[in-house]
Amino acid sequence: MSVISHTAVHLALRNRLLTVSGLPARANENKDYTPVAGTAYVREKLAPATQQGVGISTDSPSEYTGLYVVTYFGVEDTGLAVSTSADAILAVFTKGLTLTATDGSVVRVRSDVAPWRGEVITNDGWAACTISIPYRILTS
Amino acid sequence: MSDFSASIHNFVTKVQVANQRVFLGVATEALRSIVEGSELTGAPGQPVDTGNLRASWQLTFPSPTSAQISTNVEYAPIIEDNLRGAKFRNHGPNSVKLTRAGLPRIVETVAAREAK
């Protein structure tokens, strides 16, 4: 298998996100979602980045990399709640974690550049924090 | 100085020069990745509306061994994380994040280029 299904990869990462306890409403990629003022929600997106051959033959394995980007939108002026929720999401994507996608791809959360979260940014009544999960897939 | 000492001295100088070239090359590639986008990292580059954000990114060297890529545009984090759910007409969000994740590949590529 030298070609992967990014849809399958996305679903594997999304399913992992869904294991977070107390996850609020979810805005899925390319799906209309109208935020409700005062109600927290998360937005998720797959950002496939690179594909690189790891051998000299045309049928050599490929290495795919990308980012799974989750943004937690909490309510502005609610203190550390947003930060705590972002930490809970980050905690389920430990470095080295492997997830098997429905197409058989093994999605590995990178260890060389481990998942991280940014600062909380307030904007338009929301307090948002983005969690970035770098992943790698090596085809067989 | 003996021939051996001279050879060692030359080798050390050569490594120091190569090291400096890799350092500068990595910093420059990282800036390109954030601003223009990069095939090495998959970063899309800064979306352009007025051009203000794109023009604001700067590469500076606080010390001989550190590089800093920064912008003083206040709304830069909102664009990076697309917090307003914008539909971009060109380029896109996440360039800083993708550059950070792709930094090992930038280093590998620049080092290989300098080794030739």
Side-chain angles (χ1 to χ4, degrees):
Chain A
M1 178 188 66
S2 59
V3 176
I4 63 166
S5 161
H6 287 93
T7 303
V9 170
H10 193 158
L11 289 174
L13 289 158
R14 180 185 289 170
N15 286 338
R16 183 65 180 176
L17 173 66
L18 294 180
T19 66
V20 175
S21 177
L23 199 68
R26 206 173 67 248
N28 289 334
E29 181 174 323
N30 194 31
K31 188 94 173 169
D32 278 345
Y33 177 80
T34 305
V36 177
T39 304
Y41 69 101
V42 292
R43 188 186 65 195
E44 53 96 54
K45 184 174 171 44
L46 189 77
T50 65
Q51 180 193 355
Q52 186 179 19
V54 292
I56 55 174
S57 163
T58 52
D59 58 357
S60 295
S62 292
E63 181 194 65
Y64 291 81
T65 67
L67 275 184
Y68 184 53
V69 184
V70 180
T71 303
Y72 186 97
F73 291 84
V75 181
E76 194 173 2
D77 200 22
T78 53
L80 292 175
V82 173
S83 190
T84 303
S85 299
D87 283 347
I89 294 171
L90 184 63
V92 302
F93 292 100
T94 50
K95 62 183 180 182
L97 172 75
T98 57
L99 304 166
T100 303
T102 53
D103 69 342
S105 301
V106 176
V107 185
R108 183 178 295 275
V109 175
R110 286 171 58 180
S111 299
D112 60 336
V113 183
W116 75 91
R117 50 154 286 191
E119 63 182 310
V120 175
I121 299 170
T122 54
N123 178 56
D124 293 343
W126 300 101
C129 184
T130 296
I131 301 98
S132 304
I133 299 110
Y135 66 84
R136 169 182 287 138
I137 300 153
L138 188 65
T139 64
S140 53
Chain B
M1 193 185 300
S2 69
D3 285 349
F4 179 72
S5 294
S7 295
I8 290 294
H9 182 263
N10 287 341
F11 176 72
V12 168
T13 303
K14 189 176 175 182
V15 169
Q16 286 172 336
V17 169
N19 188 47
Q20 186 67 13
R21 289 171 64 96
V22 169
F23 172 63
L24 291 173
V26 167
T28 305
E29 266 312 310
L31 177 66
R32 180 178 77 88
S33 174
I34 290 171
V35 177
E36 298 172 24
S38 168
E39 72 287 357
L40 298 177
T41 64
Q46 299 299 303
V48 179
D49 185 9
T50 65
N52 179 52
L53 175 60
R54 186 182 174 95
S56 71
W57 287 95
Q58 289 191 330
L59 170 61
T60 54
F61 297 92
S63 79
T65 55
S66 67
Q68 180 173 292
I69 298 170
S70 61
T71 171
N72 60 2
V73 170
E74 199 174 341
Y75 58 81
I78 292 170
I79 300 295
E80 168 69 15
D81 290 340
N82 194 17
L83 295 185
R84 289 181 176 157
K87 292 176 172 64
F88 298 109
R89 287 175 295 172
N90 54 56
H91 303 277
N94 300 319
S95 281
V96 174
K97 288 189 280 294
L98 284 163
T99 300
R100 176 174 171 176
L103 199 60
R105 184 144 182 233
I106 290 179
V107 173
E108 181 187 324
T109 303
V110 172
R113 190 172 66 203
E114 292 298 333
K116 286 180 182 171

